[in-house]
Amino acid sequence: MSDQVTATPLDYAADRPGAVNPVKIMDLSIRDGHQSLFATRGRTEDMIPIAEMMDDVGFWAIETWGGATFDTMHRFLNEDPWERLRTLKRYIKKTPFSMLLRAQNLVGYRNYADDLALAFVDRAAENGMDVFRVFDALNDYRNFETVVSQIKKCGKHFQGCICYTLTEPRLGGEVYNLEYYVARAKSLETMGADSICIKDMAGLLAPYDAYALVKALKDVVTIPLHLHSHFTSGMSPMTHLKAIEAGIDIVDTCMTPYAYRTSHAALEPLVMTLLGTNRDTGFDITKLAAINETLEKEVMPKYKHLLDESKVSLIDINVLLHQTPGGMLSNLVNQLREMDALDKIGEVYKELPRVRRDLGQIPLVTPTSQIVGVQTVNNVLHDTPDERYKMITGQVKDLCYGLYGKTAIPIDPEVQKKALKGYPRGEEPITCRPAEVLEPELEKAKAEIGDLAADMDDLILYAQFPVTGKKFLEWKYGKSVVPDSVKPITLEQVKERDELLKKAKDGELLERKGDEPEKSAALRTFNVFVDNEYFNVEVDPTGESRVVPAAPVAVVPRPVSAPAAPVSARAAVEPPAAADADGTVLLAPMPGMIIKYLNNEGDTVIKGDPVVILEAMKMENSLTAPSDGVIKGIKFGSGDTVAKGDVLCVIG
Ligand code: CO
């Protein structure tokens, strides 16, 4: 095969002669695309209108599952993630499905035990998964061993990822240099990988580095090379082209409506770029246009409000400056905003590389991006001049113990010692494959959830997401009422919402009137965004018709500060009374969800004892007793959402 990309006279015909070495394409629209642009809120019903057309394009594979979909679907969309696989398989019959698997982290945020990992892969294969794209956030391939053995046993395609990260502005330096990546690729091929993916989650791979990297890897491995490069920094279309010139076999793209910003480069311009060359994709542009039209008319109106429109630019040059993945940046900004500390973003940028270095210069990808990001914010908000790492998250402790695997460079010994003080598994870190110290989990999970998990798929969901998974199973089996906030909306409701938005912008929304009618069962909650302000608006249609009244009667605009939090659930929670009992109050230091209380009312604790586990930005934080005393005034329960400053309990 020649390295040169050569062009013959253009031929737009769909039946144009095939290229010598066509670039293969994997489409990411219905997984990474909506995960990157629309907070993974894409619903299965909105994938069906394009599914058969997508199957006809000729993709190498379509990414349909994995990453954050599993979490988001059951938590925010009231959808069974397993069902999505089976449903899409009915429409997409020719093209293989691909999923993103976080190795031993599966589709969650920590390393799970081997029995759960084996069961997960087995059930994913059984439900229709064909290509397992596996990555480990630390590039520690010992974390691949269990899932890969099962992928192979199921006869499926194992694609091994190398997470691409940097410590310098460009490829090189002491840690992440060409030799590092060559060594990683060799070990993946030795493990039996069917293909290798260069996973550039932050869009850091510069075009000329891509050329050098692909060339170097092509020299040492024989299996196909696949490039996954986010657009975030703006380099990825150029990076694609240089990688193609260097001989990359497969490239990831999105359909145009799902492309750019923190997502991926669009497919259509690439198809045109390669048209008539020896690397022509062979795709029919008219088919792609038809998919675009369906998406624009039938699907995008439901999601466009989720786009971050606070910025005009499609490119985030902060990524070039700070080397953080796009999702991580928006998480950091959200987290700071929720805590009314957005002015601290500059300090966060300064602290971030320090924390990353302290924690072993790890790549920044889920879950390590959250681990480093949340700890950085904690340091900026809670540290004092004479004490660093004042509030260490549970996940940082796990990382220091070795539960995520081996870091690129050793963790700072002082930070490690502080993190492991009183750590339940022991204060001495491990060096073995992390899952070796994990007890089997499935039986324990089964004992906890009982018959609410009707089959293995339910049980696997619960085992990875005990709090939200249980909530979902209760909705699924009619044990509790499904809240409006997780229900789908129709195009008609989108129109209603847009009208409301216009009224809000024009200042026509009325304040509360004297005689407030009772809310009916037809009441719906809308999230209304006005510039950067966010309102939670309840609309109750009057009379028989479903038309929104000209002057909505029950509209009470209420600015809320946390767009990500389910606001309607918060409204149902009784506002906590300020210290209504004698004692010291334990306040929520940040908005989040209660995982559990470690004590009951009446229990005696001493200052510093862990009292509540609070999940914020997907990280678990252990909140400790501010004084000695007896616990009282517990106002929340497992799964409840709390705001910053809510009284979690009183100790007196
Ligand atoms: Co990605």
Side-chain angles (χ1 to χ4, degrees), residues 28 31-32 36 100 199 201 228 230 264:
L28 308 178
R31 204 289 294 177
D32 209 348
S36 298
L100 182 66
K199 181 175 162 62
M201 51 279 172
H228 177 87
H230 279 260
H264 294 260

Side-chain angles (χ1 to χ4, degrees), residues 319-632:
V319 174
L320 299 174
L321 297 174
H322 307 291
Q323 306 192 335
T324 48
M328 178 180 180
L329 275 182
S330 52
N331 274 351
L332 285 174
V333 168
N334 277 340
Q335 200 189 351
L336 287 172
R337 187 185 293 138
E338 286 178 16
M339 303 179 70
D340 296 323
L342 210 47
D343 57 313
K344 297 241 169 35
I345 188 78
E347 281 173 64
V348 166
Y349 282 142
K350 243 194 265 162
E351 177 72 4
L352 194 95
R354 281 175 76 190
V355 172
R356 185 184 179 206
R357 198 174 46 242
D358 290 344
L359 298 180
Q361 211 63 282
I362 51 183
L364 300 176
V365 60
T366 305
T368 47
S369 50
Q370 280 97 328
I371 293 174
V372 173
V374 173
Q375 188 59 52
T376 301
V377 171
N378 277 1
N379 285 7
V380 166
L381 295 181
H382 305 293
D383 283 2
T384 54
D386 36 67
E387 192 185 356
R388 291 195 75 217
Y389 290 90
K390 231 178 154 171
M391 190 154 137
I392 300 182
T393 66
Q395 279 79 359
V396 166
K397 292 176 184 178
D398 293 343
L399 178 76
C400 289
Y401 184 67
L403 270 193
Y404 286 92
K406 191 170 181 289
T407 52
I409 61 166
I411 295 174
D412 180 271
E414 250 174 68
V415 173
Q416 191 167 31
K417 198 163 163 238
K418 177 157 194 195
L420 292 180
K421 190 160 177 287
Y423 184 72
R425 289 178 187 275
E427 300 194 348
E428 202 52 43
I430 55 165
T431 55
C432 61
R433 183 180 73 93
E436 271 162 36
V437 303
L438 301 177
E439 296 292 320
E441 320 192 21
L442 277 176
E443 248 175 60
K444 196 173 144 263
K446 179 70 199 161
E448 285 167 11
I449 193 71
D451 292 340
L452 191 56
D455 54 22
M456 184 53 98
D457 293 356
D458 285 347
L459 183 60
I460 291 171
L461 188 149
Y462 170 76
Q464 288 183 80
F465 299 95
V467 178
T468 54
K470 186 175 175 206
K471 257 196 212 173
F472 168 76
L473 292 175
E474 284 169 350
W475 299 336
K476 179 177 170 183
Y477 295 113
K479 305 273 186 221
S480 68
V481 181
V482 177
D484 272 350
S485 57
V486 300
K487 289 179 184 164
I489 56 169
T490 61
L491 278 178
E492 197 176 82
Q493 288 163 337
V494 168
K495 239 179 97 193
E496 291 173 6
R497 186 185 60 201
D498 287 351
E499 279 166 17
L500 266 175
L501 177 64
K502 191 176 173 298
K503 286 199 171 81
K505 272 186 170 157
D506 295 346
E508 285 175 24
L509 289 186
L510 298 183
E511 287 300 321
R512 183 193 297 264
K513 285 184 173 178
D515 289 328
E516 199 173 313
E518 241 174 70
K519 292 174 184 177
S520 81
L523 186 87
R524 288 198 62 89
T525 308
F526 290 92
N527 294 333
V528 178
F529 297 81
V530 183
D531 299 326
N532 279 333
E533 281 256 66
Y534 166 62
F535 299 88
N536 184 242
V537 178
E538 292 175 332
V539 176
D540 207 349
T542 52
E544 293 299 305
S545 87
R546 292 197 58 261
V547 178
V548 177
V553 281
V555 169
V556 186
R558 179 166 58 90
V560 288
S561 56
V567 181
S568 48
R570 279 255 338 115
V573 175
E574 192 184 309
D580 53 355
D582 291 338
T584 320
V585 291
L586 176 61
L587 300 176
M590 60 192 98
M593 183 181 74
I594 302 283
I595 298 290
K596 61 181 171 196
Y597 282 84
L598 302 169
N599 307 86
N600 296 316
E601 293 216 4
D603 286 356
T604 304
V605 289
I606 53 171
K607 187 180 171 187
D609 279 354
V611 176
V612 183
I613 307 290
L614 177 72
E615 186 203 70
M617 307 308 289
K618 293 174 183 160
M619 293 291 114
E620 290 180 10
N621 297 275
S622 165
L623 307 180
T624 54
S627 65
D628 298 355
V630 174
I631 302 232
K632 47 195 176 183

Side-chain angles (χ1 to χ4, degrees), residues 94 102 109 124 148 226 234 262-263 265 271 276 281-282 309 365 388 651:
K94 297 178 283 193
R102 299 169 179 153
Y109 308 99
V148 166
H226 193 149
T262 54
S263 180
V271 170
T281 58
E309 283 177 346
V365 60
R388 291 195 75 217
I651 296 160

